Amino acid sequence: MTNPVIHFEIGGHDLARATAFYGELFGWKPQPAGPEYALVPAGAHGAGVGGGLLQTSGDMPPYVTVYVAVDDLRAMLDRAAALGAKTVVTPTVIPGIGEFAMFADPDGNIIGLLHQQAEAAAS
């Protein structure tokens, strides 16, 4: 079985501006999910994948990335490293969701990995 893309993320300097822009452009209806994050639901009838808009801070530049579902986060990070990737975010718990990490591929593209808790994956 392959590991599917299950989430996208767009990071920018102004969450309110991003929410308004993508809402107007694509008709997205981002829902607040914390002070610096908004969740974007998947399309009707399960079309596409849901995602999120993140307000970056400090020197963090704007970005677009995808998150891939994995069964073993650490093993996948090790495998990516063996293929030339560099870990940029170590495994981090998201309460009630699971755990994520991010790596830069050999060309510098940032890819997220997400290991969902059983309850979160079922919903």
Side-chain angles (χ1 to χ4, degrees):
M1 179 176 151
T2 63
N3 298 89
V5 171
I6 59 170
H7 187 78
F8 69 85
E9 191 168 82
I10 301 171
H13 298 300
D14 185 328
L15 181 59
R17 180 177 62 204
T19 299
F21 176 82
Y22 288 108
E24 183 68 26
L25 182 63
F26 296 131
W28 293 354
K29 298 186 180 349
Q31 303 298 311
E36 298 175 343
Y37 206 81
L39 287 171
V40 178
H45 310 293
V49 298
L53 303 174
L54 171 77
Q55 181 165 316
T56 61
S57 59
D59 293 335
M60 185 177 195
Y63 68 92
V64 175
T65 195
V66 296
Y67 285 81
V68 178
V70 298
D71 291 329
D72 187 331
L73 193 64
R74 285 154 187 79
M76 192 61 76
L77 280 175
D78 290 345
R79 185 171 179 201
L83 294 169
K86 294 187 179 10
T87 298
V88 295
V89 176
T90 59
T92 304
V93 172
I94 306 168
I97 302 294
E99 191 174 28
F100 84 100
M102 298 178 92
F103 66 86
D105 74 10
D107 287 317
N109 298 300
I110 305 297
I111 304 297
L113 302 173
L114 181 62
H115 177 255
Q116 293 179 290
Q117 293 175 345
E119 314 82 61
S123 56

